[in-house]
Amino acid sequence: MAETITLTGADGFAFSAYHEPAFTPRKGGVIVIQEIFGIDRHVRADVERWAKMGYEAIAPAMFDRLQRDFHAEHDDAGIKAGIEKARATPLEQALGDIAACRDFLRQHGEKVCIVGYCYGGSLTWLSACKVEGLAAASSYYGSMVQANAALSPMCPTIVHLGRTDAGIPADDVAAAIAEHHGEKVPVHIYEGAGHGFNNESPERYNAEAADLARHRTLELFDNA
């Protein structure tokens, strides 16, 4: 049964997180990192998907210090509000909250993986490189990945990008990662898919790309 729980960050702040226990057979834990829109129906649906695939899943509310229960629509006003919240959230603070989620999921002594989308894709890449104890990471279309490509992931990591993403040049990101990591970090570019292709909103969703990326992520997590 899905529920909202409270965890404590490294700074002592109590933040909320959407949590769902794993369906059987249980495989481990997954931290799901939101887009800029908050813990909306799409994040909740993703948490449920991972639970059904055997992973206890948790999605921390990354903007709780700025606004409790923040939700934004996928319109210009919502995008603006979400970007403002993301820019106002210190990266080290966000990584501290992700570490708290790791600790919560590790109570069972199992592996903990991380997946994130958009803003969460950037945090997933940074977590793979800076947060110890993660078993695997899957980063979807994070705008900060290219600028941080020189950082070295401490766990098996893959990156997903949409070919038609107007804000993230897929080939440039792939080249930056290849320059620093060679073939150790696979970068998957999905033809015909744009930014947010895993999000099931009508204007963004690409079912073929989303299914293939999820299959690749599940394979990575299962083998971690």
Side-chain angles (χ1 to χ4, degrees):
M1 180 69 69
E3 60 180 344
T4 298
I5 63 174
T6 300
L7 299 178
T8 303
D11 60 354
F13 181 83
F15 63 92
S16 62
Y18 188 72
H19 168 256
E20 186 159 357
F23 288 43
T24 54
R26 182 187 173 92
K27 299 176 181 178
V30 171
I31 306 168
V32 179
I33 308 298
Q34 65 177 64
E35 298 176 301
I36 59 172
F37 305 105
I39 307 299
D40 60 9
R41 64 184 183 279
H42 302 293
V43 176
R44 293 170 184 262
D46 206 64
V47 166
E48 181 178 0
R49 275 192 294 265
W50 285 110
K52 288 180 177 178
M53 289 188 284
Y55 288 91
E56 180 179 5
I58 188 168
M62 304 306 300
F63 302 152
D64 260 8
R65 288 171 182 78
L66 302 171
Q67 181 180 334
R68 292 281 185 183
D69 197 31
F70 172 79
H71 293 87
E73 297 299 323
H74 294 187
D75 53 17
D76 290 344
I79 292 171
K80 180 181 178 181
I83 290 174
E84 289 176 349
K85 292 288 191 297
R87 289 176 175 170
T89 301
L91 289 176
E92 293 305 317
Q93 174 186 290
L95 296 179
D97 288 353
I98 290 169
C101 292
R102 173 207 59 197
D103 293 344
F104 174 82
L105 291 172
R106 283 204 304 194
Q107 294 179 98
H108 301 289
E110 299 170 328
K111 64 184 175 184
V112 177
C113 305
I114 185 169
V115 60
Y117 313 92
C118 180
Y119 170 65
S122 294
L123 290 179
T124 294
W125 175 262
L126 293 171
S127 295
C129 301
K130 295 187 174 188
V131 177
E132 295 182 354
L134 296 173
S138 182
S139 167
Y140 284 68
Y141 33 81
S143 64
M144 290 185 276
V145 173
Q146 183 177 356
N148 292 280
L151 297 176
S152 296
M154 296 184 287
C155 62
T157 300
I158 57 176
V159 174
H160 309 280
L161 303 166
R163 171 66 71 190
T164 62
D165 190 328
I168 301 175
D171 288 332
D172 292 349
V173 178
I177 291 176
E179 176 185 355
H180 294 286
H181 308 291
E183 297 180 356
K184 292 181 180 179
V185 179
V187 178
H188 302 288
I189 300 175
Y190 299 84
E191 302 296 333
H195 190 75
F197 64 76
N198 186 73
N199 188 301
E200 293 182 350
S201 56
E203 68 275 15
R204 307 170 76 195
Y205 187 52
N206 184 305
E208 183 178 358
D211 289 347
L212 179 55
R214 191 172 301 121
H215 171 78
R216 287 167 167 162
T217 301
L218 179 62
E219 184 177 45
L220 177 74
F221 289 179
D222 285 352
N223 293 322

